[in-house]
Amino acid sequence: MDLRKLDVFVTVATERSFTRAAERLHLAQSGVSTAVRALERDLGVTLLDRTTQRVELTEPGRALLPEATRILAAVASARAVVTQAEQGLRGSLRLGILYGDLTPAPLRAALAAFHAEHPLVELVLTAPGTGGSLDHLARLHDGSLDLAVVIADTEPGIQRHVLATDEVVLACTPGHALAGRDGVELAELIHEPFIDFPPGWGMRWAVDHAFRAAGLRRRITVQMNDLSTILDLVRLGLGVAFVPTSLANDSADLRFLRVRNDAPSYEIALAAAERPLGAVARRFLHTALPAGHHLAQRAAGA
């Protein structure tokens, strides 16, 4: 089986588009189509359903994708080992990251140290899309990311190492009715208009879980996937928001109230799919994780 055909198939399957796959592979679109058709002839099956709007995997295509991804990763790892022995570590690290201050400082330091030690490695950093950590987990499963930083609950087939745990505090304006308090109960917030992340984001999951566990429902009026914008909307008086405790000292123009009794909390973890990692990803784990630690085989989510 031709590895180049497999690479083209995986790229088309990941991009869900022949056009985007051709751009990513620096090939003519006709060449991409020819490679996929040749692979389908080799296997005697149809791997992709083509429409004018979108490319979808068939059942054989869905079965082949993880296997093809593993084969290509194994070949890339073998090449990297040989190259590393001769020239030093090369290749790429495809890492899913979180926005801004949500990424723990030790991990940012590990990225800087890794880049300084291995300058020939290309760092391909991907921020989450509208689905938050769920986007990263999907990319870990389909092989388009090697590792990802996620705010996690549970997910089968994912290994993780917890990097940090943080609680949330309630952000409001100085003129808000609650601003003079030093703490608040969840039950006192059910009528407040909340500005929050969309479903799928880890901090949103943690807060929703805390309200459900208390038998309460809250009112979310604005959804935004950027923490700095959320704080700006709080400043405008459009609502209140839960934010990480670690950020409470960075905005002197707002008031931050701790949550009494079962404050929502979340874990930030470095996650990988349960399959062999390439040489570059293994080396980054060695840099990023505390000495003697390995990825804990726990399920991770968003």
Side-chain angles (χ1 to χ4, degrees), residues 14-292:
T14 302
E15 295 290 341
R16 295 293 198 272
S17 165
F18 281 85
T19 301
R20 290 195 297 272
E23 293 171 353
R24 182 168 150 188
L25 294 168
H26 305 292
L27 295 173
Q29 187 170 333
S30 59
V32 172
S33 299
T34 298
V36 172
R37 285 197 299 269
L39 181 61
E40 289 176 325
R41 285 196 302 271
D42 291 344
L43 297 174
V45 296
T46 299
L47 299 171
L48 299 166
D49 282 333
R50 292 88 157 165
T51 69
T52 56
Q53 300 294 327
R54 190 170 173 82
V55 175
E56 297 290 347
L57 288 164
T58 63
E59 191 63 32
R62 284 192 291 272
L64 176 62
L65 181 58
E67 298 301 322
T69 300
R70 278 193 284 271
I71 290 169
L72 293 171
V75 171
S77 179
R79 287 172 175 162
V81 168
V82 173
T83 302
Q84 179 183 352
E86 181 180 6
Q87 303 174 355
L89 191 64
R90 289 177 179 264
S92 63
L93 174 67
R94 300 169 302 169
L95 177 67
I97 60 172
L98 299 177
Y99 287 109
D101 291 331
L102 290 177
T103 300
L107 186 63
R108 297 199 295 270
L111 267 173
F114 183 82
H115 180 62
E117 185 177 356
H118 306 290
L120 300 180
V121 172
E122 179 186 15
L123 297 178
V124 183
L125 306 181
T126 302
T130 56
S133 289
L134 292 179
D135 288 347
H136 282 345
L137 292 170
R139 292 186 179 107
L140 289 174
H141 281 302
D142 70 23
S144 57
L145 286 180
D146 302 311
L147 300 166
V149 185
V150 297
I151 295 179
D153 178 33
T154 57
E155 171 90 4
I158 296 292
Q159 297 178 324
R160 70 171 185 166
H161 179 88
V162 176
L163 301 171
T165 300
D166 203 355
E167 290 187 350
V168 300
V169 290
L170 185 76
C172 65
T173 62
H176 192 280
L178 296 172
R181 307 264 297 273
D182 63 350
V184 67
E185 304 279 351
L186 292 179
E188 299 176 272
L189 303 174
I190 57 175
H191 299 300
E192 293 289 338
F194 271 92
I195 304 162
D196 209 332
F197 287 94
W201 288 73
M203 201 179 311
R204 165 72 179 268
W205 178 91
V207 174
D208 285 349
H209 177 75
F211 273 85
R212 283 195 301 268
L216 302 170
R217 296 184 65 181
R218 62 183 175 132
R219 186 162 62 99
I220 299 173
T221 56
V222 180
Q223 296 185 108
M224 180 64 57
N225 62 0
D226 178 72
L227 188 56
S228 63
T229 303
I230 288 174
L231 290 174
D232 285 341
L233 295 178
V234 172
R235 291 184 178 97
L236 292 174
L238 299 185
V240 298
F242 282 115
V243 300
T245 303
S246 56
L247 299 185
N249 295 326
D250 297 334
S251 301
D253 58 331
L254 292 174
R255 297 292 180 267
F256 297 94
L257 285 67
R258 63 183 181 85
V259 179
R260 300 192 186 103
N261 301 319
D262 300 321
S265 64
Y266 61 92
E267 294 177 334
I268 301 176
L270 185 59
E274 291 180 343
R275 59 173 171 262
L277 292 173
V280 173
R282 291 198 306 271
R283 183 62 64 87
F284 179 72
L285 283 181
H286 180 77
T287 301
L289 300 184

